[in-house]
């Protein structure tokens, strides 16, 4: 399956968790959260260090979400990525997008033997900020 198809399938999901939503309104994760919400997605904020951010309720982990989600967008420090991926698997999430700066060899090794779709910055830079913004723009056309 091509990365473009995997990206399209990821964005076809309407329940998406954003792991690593920042208190800083200028950070990329905040942009992702806001843009997906504007486009009609039901977006769930996940931040292990906050109960809410700018009035948005946050779950501490994917396992603590109030309802199941279909996909997770992960933008956390590399040292946290493997645990977040394990939480995603425990929560039944099989579509994951890991931003390029969050990729870790441990998370990739853990995911390797699982059934699911993983989008990363490898290959055609699919996990990049530019790619995500371009695909969101494509949803309007």
């Amino acid at each position: 399956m091509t990365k473009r198809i995997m990206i399209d399938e990821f964005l076809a999901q309407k329940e998406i968790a954003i792991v690593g939503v920042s208190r800083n309104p200028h950070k990329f994760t905040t942009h992702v959260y806001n843009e997906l919400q504007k486009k009609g997605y039901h977006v769930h904020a996940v931040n292990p260090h906050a109960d809410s951010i700018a009035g948005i309720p946050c779950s501490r982990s994917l396992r603590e979400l109030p309802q199941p989600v279909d996909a997770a967008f992960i933008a956390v420090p590399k040292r946290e990525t493997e645990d977040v991926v394990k939480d995603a698997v425990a929560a039944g999430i099989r579509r994951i997008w890991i931003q390029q700066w969050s990729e870790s060899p441990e998370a990739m090794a853990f995911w390797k033997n699982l059934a699911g779709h993983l989008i990363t910055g490898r290959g055609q830079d699919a996990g990049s900020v530019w790619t995500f913004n371009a695909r969101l723009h494509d949803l309007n056309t």
Side-chain angles (χ1 to χ4, degrees), residues 8 17 20 24 30-31 37 42 57 59 91 96 106 108 110 113:
D8 290 345
N24 182 337
T30 307
H31 167 74
Q37 193 171 50
H42 194 215
S59 296
I96 296 176
E106 298 83 9
M108 301 302 132
F110 177 78
N113 296 319

Side-chain angles (χ1 to χ4, degrees), residues 111-126:
W111 184 265
K112 184 178 180 181
N113 296 319
L114 301 173
H117 298 172
L118 175 66
I119 301 167
T120 68
R122 299 178 193 276
Q124 297 174 351
D125 206 28

Side-chain angles (χ1 to χ4, degrees), residues 1-8 10-11 28 32 72-74 96-103 108 117-136:
M1 178 178 305
T2 67
K3 288 203 181 206
R4 176 70 182 238
I5 291 171
M6 288 173 58
I7 291 168
D8 290 345
F10 182 95
L11 292 173
F28 183 61
V32 169
F73 181 91
I74 301 170
I96 296 176
W97 187 321
I98 300 176
Q99 275 305 109
Q100 61 193 11
W101 60 81
S102 296
E103 293 176 20
M108 301 302 132
H117 298 172
L118 175 66
I119 301 167
T120 68
R122 299 178 193 276
Q124 297 174 351
D125 206 28
S128 73
V129 172
W130 180 88
T131 300
F132 192 85
N133 283 330
R135 292 304 297 132
L136 282 178

Side-chain angles (χ1 to χ4, degrees), residues 19-93:
V19 184
V21 173
S22 177
R23 290 180 180 96
N24 182 337
H26 304 292
K27 291 287 188 174
F28 183 61
T29 52
T30 307
H31 167 74
V32 169
Y33 182 94
N34 291 334
E35 287 302 309
L36 288 174
Q37 193 171 50
K38 285 179 197 173
K39 294 189 183 323
Y41 290 86
H42 194 215
V43 189
H44 305 266
V46 178
N47 182 315
H49 310 292
D51 293 324
S52 69
I53 295 174
I56 300 166
C58 291
S59 296
R60 299 275 177 164
S61 74
L62 290 168
R63 288 191 252 189
E64 294 180 15
L65 288 169
Q67 65 190 63
V69 297
D70 305 308
F73 181 91
I74 301 170
V76 298
K78 286 181 183 189
R79 67 184 177 280
E80 298 174 16
T81 304
E82 181 182 12
D83 289 338
V84 173
V85 170
K86 287 179 178 179
D87 280 349
V89 170
I93 301 167

